[in-house]
Amino acid sequence: MREIVFRGKRLDNGEWVFGCLISHTRNEQCKIGRGYYKDINLGEQLDADEVVPATVGQYIGRKDKKGIDVYEGDVVNGLTWLNGKRTEYSGIIEYIYSGFHVRGINEWAHMVFDIDGNLEIIGSIHDNPELLEGE
């Protein structure tokens, strides 16, 4: 079974929190709970932190070559095959159409699941916006 985890930057101190997305309301309030609901019908509450909605990203179910979990919004370097040659690229992890992709900076998109273990996280669009200067 696929592990579904979200991350977001806390509104009060900017630290990353990881867990389940438990609310996203019309007034743009967004919370991530630390842990999982055992039985929502029993009213069990989770410790939750309010996060900046724009920073919320889902775990893509893959780790980079150093064993670090990869999330939407991570900026990565990698290698792929292009016209029969190994080609380096950089890009942002995004959900595009029906799956997670690496949208290349000044390049095309690669499906994450076609990448053969050479993915390396070099930052995130929220912590390292200077990495997007090539866009």
Side-chain angles (χ1 to χ4, degrees):
M1 187 161 120
R2 184 167 69 94
E3 184 179 14
I4 300 174
V5 179
F6 289 85
R7 74 172 180 192
K9 289 189 108 176
R10 286 177 56 162
L11 198 57
D12 59 354
N13 65 13
E15 291 181 9
W16 287 106
V17 292
F18 302 83
C20 58
L21 187 62
I22 60 171
S23 71
H24 199 307
T25 60
R26 289 182 210 183
N27 67 357
E28 299 300 318
Q29 183 184 44
C30 187
K31 290 185 179 180
I32 290 183
R34 289 168 275 152
Y36 300 92
Y37 279 114
K38 292 182 181 170
D39 188 342
I40 197 164
N41 295 321
L42 296 177
E44 294 182 27
Q45 295 293 318
L46 291 174
D47 288 334
D49 297 296
E50 191 168 354
V51 297
V52 178
T55 66
V56 173
Q58 187 176 357
Y59 172 56
I60 70 167
R62 306 268 302 199
K63 296 183 182 297
D64 78 347
K65 66 184 184 180
K66 295 177 183 174
I68 301 169
D69 292 346
V70 180
Y71 285 82
E72 289 177 275
D74 282 339
V75 180
V76 297
N77 284 334
L79 293 169
T80 192
W81 286 96
L82 179 63
N83 299 327
K85 295 188 293 187
R86 295 290 275 172
T87 304
E88 291 185 35
Y89 65 89
S90 295
I92 304 160
I93 300 291
E94 291 185 349
Y95 189 85
I96 303 173
Y97 301 115
S98 62
F100 294 105
H101 291 69
V102 179
R103 180 173 52 84
I105 298 172
N106 294 329
E107 297 176 31
W108 57 95
H110 303 275
M111 284 198 68
V112 170
F113 299 105
D114 291 341
I115 298 167
D116 58 3
N118 291 303
L119 204 62
E120 179 180 16
I121 298 171
I122 59 171
S124 84
I125 59 173
H126 310 291
D127 292 332
N128 313 96
E130 70 277 5
L131 294 173
L132 302 179
E133 290 175 3
E135 278 205 320

